[in-house]
Amino acid sequence: MNPKYRKTIIAGNWKMNMLVSDVKPFVEELKGYIPKTKTCETVLCVPAVNIAAMLKLGKEARIVCGAQDVSKYDKGAYTGEISASQLADAGVKYCIVGHSERREYHNESDMLVNAKTRALIEKGICPIICVGESLEQREMGLTMAHINYQVRAALAGVDVTMLRHCVIAYEPIWAIGTGKTATSDQAEEVCREIRLIIRDMYGARAARSISILYGGSMNAKNAAELLAQPDVDGGLIGGASLKPQDFATIISATGADNE
């Protein structure tokens, strides 16, 4: 991490877990563990039905509310969809786009990820853009080529001013929900490559400023080693974000409790 130039972010992704009634006890418990910090932003991307409760209850615990998905459309006859305008009006500050589960289970293309990214930026919401390779792609030596394409596709039409409102999360597909984790060297290698891609697209200042997160089974035990890498600026946390004490331990691993 390099907090001198960019924001450190620990973002939880609850996926399709937790009820509205679970939000209050979770936040109350987390408050007892979470360190006071101004340098690490804590985000919880919750199911849509939990957004209102998290917005209301999360303030006391210094939690920023995020969403897990957004429509590329701003309004219209799209039953079940939620627009960036609606998320912004509710007070949502972050939104995940391009998660591997959306790409796989809902056949989301890179072009759709790009459309959602731009829709969010237009409404002042920071997209957390997920990129990552499959195990087969890694074994074939295609990791960097695949990441390069995904980053460039997601950011097509996004200028340097808009880029300031973006976060990129490297999530190797083979490490999501499997218990497997990229080694700290593997995570750093790809996060550094992402920064080099941003540098090629937007210049050195933009590359130095963008926050790049690692996701893929980051947990309380391995967070410190992963977060110690110079190009890993935080984490996108799945299962561990459902456990207040573990989630707080990951936040503390950023050095936040030493302030």
Side-chain angles (χ1 to χ4, degrees), residues 7-243:
K7 184 184 296 185
T8 301
I9 302 169
I10 298 297
N13 176 14
W14 278 4
K15 304 189 179 183
M16 197 174 69
N17 295 292
M18 307 292 264
L19 306 175
V20 173
S21 58
D22 293 324
V23 175
K24 184 175 181 178
F26 179 93
V27 171
E28 289 296 322
E29 185 177 353
L30 182 61
K31 282 166 58 177
Y33 299 119
I34 197 169
K36 294 182 179 180
T37 175
K38 294 181 180 179
T39 60
C40 177
E41 185 152 67
T42 301
V43 181
L44 277 172
C45 297
V46 300
V49 293
N50 293 351
I51 286 175
M54 184 58 70
L55 284 165
K56 179 180 179 180
L57 297 166
K59 290 181 181 179
E60 292 184 14
R62 300 174 299 283
I63 297 170
V64 179
C65 185
Q68 297 178 4
D69 189 34
V70 68
S71 173
K72 71 175 182 178
Y73 301 106
D74 190 54
K75 63 176 66 174
Y78 304 103
T79 301
E81 294 289 287
I82 300 174
S83 73
S85 293
Q86 291 169 325
L87 292 176
D89 185 61
V92 169
K93 300 300 182 184
Y94 288 85
C95 183
I96 299 169
V97 292
H99 193 280
S100 63
E101 292 161 1
R102 298 291 310 179
R103 293 177 188 263
E104 180 181 359
Y105 305 148
H106 299 273
N107 298 312
E108 292 197 359
S109 68
D110 290 291
M111 297 303 100
L112 180 55
V113 173
N114 173 257
K116 290 183 175 185
T117 294
R118 289 189 291 164
L120 290 167
I121 295 171
E122 183 179 337
K123 300 303 178 182
I125 298 173
C126 176
I128 301 175
I129 304 165
C130 297
V131 298
E133 82 284 8
S134 66
L135 182 59
E136 182 180 17
Q137 288 167 329
R138 174 164 281 274
E139 291 176 341
M140 292 177 65
L142 298 174
T143 294
M144 297 310 182
H146 183 68
I147 296 297
N148 192 309
Y149 176 79
Q150 283 191 315
V151 171
R152 292 179 185 275
L155 296 175
V158 174
D159 63 27
V160 69
T161 302
M162 298 161 72
L163 183 72
R164 295 173 188 160
H165 305 286
C166 295
V167 171
I168 298 176
Y170 167 53
E171 290 202 309
I173 297 171
W174 49 270
I176 299 174
T178 63
K180 297 179 180 180
T181 308
T183 66
S184 56
D185 288 342
Q186 289 173 324
E188 168 62 17
E189 180 184 32
V190 179
C191 289
R192 182 174 62 246
E193 179 67 17
I194 292 170
R195 204 172 303 283
L196 290 173
I197 295 167
I198 297 299
R199 178 171 181 157
D200 182 62
M201 295 176 70
Y202 297 100
R205 179 177 294 181
R208 190 168 58 237
S209 301
I210 193 168
S211 295
I212 301 174
L213 315 184
Y214 172 75
S217 299
M218 182 185 282
N219 56 52
K221 293 181 179 179
N222 60 31
E225 182 179 355
L226 288 163
L227 293 168
Q229 302 306 307
D231 289 293
V232 178
D233 305 311
L236 181 57
I237 316 300
S241 71
L242 299 170
K243 304 172 183 177

